[in-house]
Amino acid sequence: MKVEKKDGCGEVFGIRRAVSLLVALTYLSCLCPAAAYAAPPAPERTSVAAAGSAVETSSLLISAEHGGAVRLGRASIVIPAGALLHDTEISITRLASVADTGESIQNSTERGGGYRFLPAGQQFQKEVLITLPYDRSLNINDAALEDIATYFYSEQERHWVRLERREVNRPESLVTSASTHFTDMINATLALPEAGATGALTVVVKATGAATLTGTLPPSRAASQAEA
C-alpha cells in the first residue's frame, strides 16, 4: 500500500502571495484611503464661469419641474417651475460687442457690450426674470434712470426691442425685466437730443409688454424708425 505525500510548496507560496497583497493594500490605504475604497465620483452639473478666459460664460442644467437660476457675475436669470417643457441647459455669455443700437437708444450696460442667453430662440411657458447691471454713473442722473430698460435684439426685425421692466435696483445698479424668450440683451437709455434740437421720440408698447422706439430726431441725429 502506497502513501501519497502532499507537496506543501504550492500551499506555502499561495499563503505568502496573499500576505504580500494584504500588506500592499494596507500600505496604499494608509497613503490614500479614498484611492483604495472610494467609488469614482459622479459627474456634477454646476454653474461654471470660465476664469482667466477671454469669454465669460456660465451654464447650468435647469429642472423643468423645479426651475432654477443661472448667474454670471451680476447678471442672472430666474426660471420658475413649469417655465420649461423639459430639463434644459441654460447659459449666459458675456459679449464684448453687440449689434448697433442706432441713435434712438444708448447702450448703458455695465462695461459696455451685452449678454447672450442660450439656447438661442428658447421659448418659455411662463415669464422668466432677467437681471442685468447698468453703468453706475447713471445713478446721478434721475432722468436716465426713469428711461433705463433692458432691450433684446430681434433678429427678424433687425433692431432692439424693449422688455417689460419690473424693477430698477438703484443701490446695486441692476435692472430686472420679464421675458418669455432668449436672445442677446443689453441695458439702454433713450438717446437725448442735442441742445436746442427739435423732434420727438415715442415708446410704443406692444401687446406682449415689449416696446419699440418710433418718432423723429433732428437731422443731425436722425433715428431709424421701428415698427410697433
Side-chain angles (χ1 to χ4, degrees), residues 32 39 42 57 71 92 157:
C32 185
T57 186
R71 293 178 174 81
I92 307 174
E157 301 179 22

Side-chain angles (χ1 to χ4, degrees), residues 200-204 212-216 224-228:
L201 280 176
T202 304
V203 178
V204 180
T212 55
L213 298 175
T214 185
T216 60
S224 60
Q225 291 190 351
E227 294 183 359

Side-chain angles (χ1 to χ4, degrees), residues 177-190:
S177 305
S179 180
T180 56
H181 67 284
F182 270 173
T183 181
D184 293 355
M185 298 191 185
I186 62 172
N187 280 334
T189 56
L190 298 181

Side-chain angles (χ1 to χ4, degrees), residues 60-199:
L60 186 67
L61 182 66
I62 301 298
S63 165
E65 180 180 0
H66 303 292
V70 181
R71 293 178 174 81
L72 176 63
R74 299 192 331 114
S76 67
I77 176 172
V78 177
I79 302 172
L84 293 167
L85 292 176
H86 50 78
D87 296 356
T88 305
E89 185 87 12
I90 301 297
S91 71
I92 307 174
T93 300
R94 188 75 171 86
L95 300 176
S97 61
V98 294
D100 183 32
T101 58
E103 297 186 12
S104 298
I105 60 174
Q106 181 176 347
N107 191 343
S108 302
T109 308
E110 183 179 61
R111 296 164 48 201
Y115 294 85
R116 175 166 294 163
F117 294 82
L118 297 174
Q122 172 69 49
Q123 297 288 327
F124 296 97
Q125 306 305 303
K126 298 179 180 179
E127 288 184 341
V128 300
L129 294 180
I130 293 175
T131 299
L132 299 183
Y134 64 82
D135 188 340
R136 294 179 185 272
S137 65
L138 293 178
N139 284 330
I140 62 174
N141 188 336
D142 291 338
L145 289 186
E146 289 181 4
D147 293 331
I148 194 167
T150 298
Y151 290 75
F152 73 87
Y153 187 71
S154 171
E155 293 287 350
Q156 293 182 344
E157 301 179 22
R158 298 293 181 183
H159 65 81
W160 293 92
V161 182
R162 180 176 176 172
L163 290 176
E164 179 185 352
R165 191 177 71 181
R166 291 296 181 83
E167 179 187 18
V168 176
N169 184 335
R170 190 166 185 167
E172 298 296 329
S173 301
L174 298 171
V175 177
T176 298
S177 305
S179 180
T180 56
H181 67 284
F182 270 173
T183 181
D184 293 355
M185 298 191 185
I186 62 172
N187 280 334
T189 56
L190 298 181
L192 298 178
E194 296 175 352
T198 60

Side-chain angles (χ1 to χ4, degrees), residues 6-16:
K6 295 183 178 180
D7 187 359
C9 293
E11 184 177 352
V12 172
F13 178 75
I15 293 175
R16 288 179 177 175

